[in-house]
Amino acid sequence: MSAGTRDQVIIDGLEVEAIIGIHDWERRVRQVLRLDVAVGTDVARVAATDDIALAVDYSVLAECLGDFIRVGEYRLLETLAEDAAAMILAEFAVPWVKLAVRKPGAVAAADSVGVVIERARGD
């Protein structure tokens, strides 16, 4: 594994409103989801050039991920996470993605519930 495959660009705590859930009432309202995403990149290569064109632009990644989730309607967090990870791998030149999708307030005794997945190009 080269150093570049261990480097990451991260976004923590991205909040996106979505239609998500299995209950009828959840299909009628938007709920806030909280996402953490990390993607593999070669930071050394980007740093050597100081060229944004070679970097994973986290603002573009955040906007793309938010837009993708806002237009979809999902019953399960698992399905949303799989589709979002596949979109990131398809749209961005990254070798892997780790995505956490949390649903705050879904369980009264917990801050949030959610799923964490890791997917690599070619999986």
Side-chain angles (χ1 to χ4, degrees):
M1 178 182 290
S2 72
T5 59
R6 292 187 307 255
D7 298 345
Q8 303 176 31
V9 166
I10 62 169
I11 301 170
D12 286 334
L14 178 65
E15 291 190 353
V16 179
E17 289 187 353
I19 300 293
I20 184 78
I22 60 170
H23 302 291
D24 287 342
W25 71 266
E26 291 179 298
R27 312 302 301 154
R28 294 188 299 267
V29 298
R30 292 198 165 274
Q31 299 178 68
V32 173
L33 299 178
R34 191 165 296 120
L35 295 93
D36 297 334
V37 62
V39 295
T41 190
D42 187 347
V43 169
R45 179 174 151 256
V46 173
T49 63
D50 204 28
D51 184 355
I52 187 65
L54 299 176
V56 175
D57 187 329
Y58 47 80
S59 63
V60 172
L61 176 58
E63 182 178 352
C64 190
L65 184 56
D67 289 347
F68 180 83
I69 291 170
R70 275 188 288 278
V71 299
E73 292 187 16
Y74 291 93
R75 295 173 53 81
L76 300 176
L77 291 176
E78 292 86 346
T79 308
L80 184 153
E82 285 288 344
D83 288 357
M87 179 277 300
I88 290 168
L89 289 172
E91 297 292 324
F92 294 86
V94 297
W96 58 265
V97 59
K98 180 176 181 180
L99 179 64
V101 182
R102 293 180 179 82
K103 190 174 178 183
V107 172
D111 289 336
S112 66
V113 298
V115 298
V116 179
I117 66 170
E118 296 182 44
R119 298 295 178 263
R121 194 169 295 288
D123 280 355

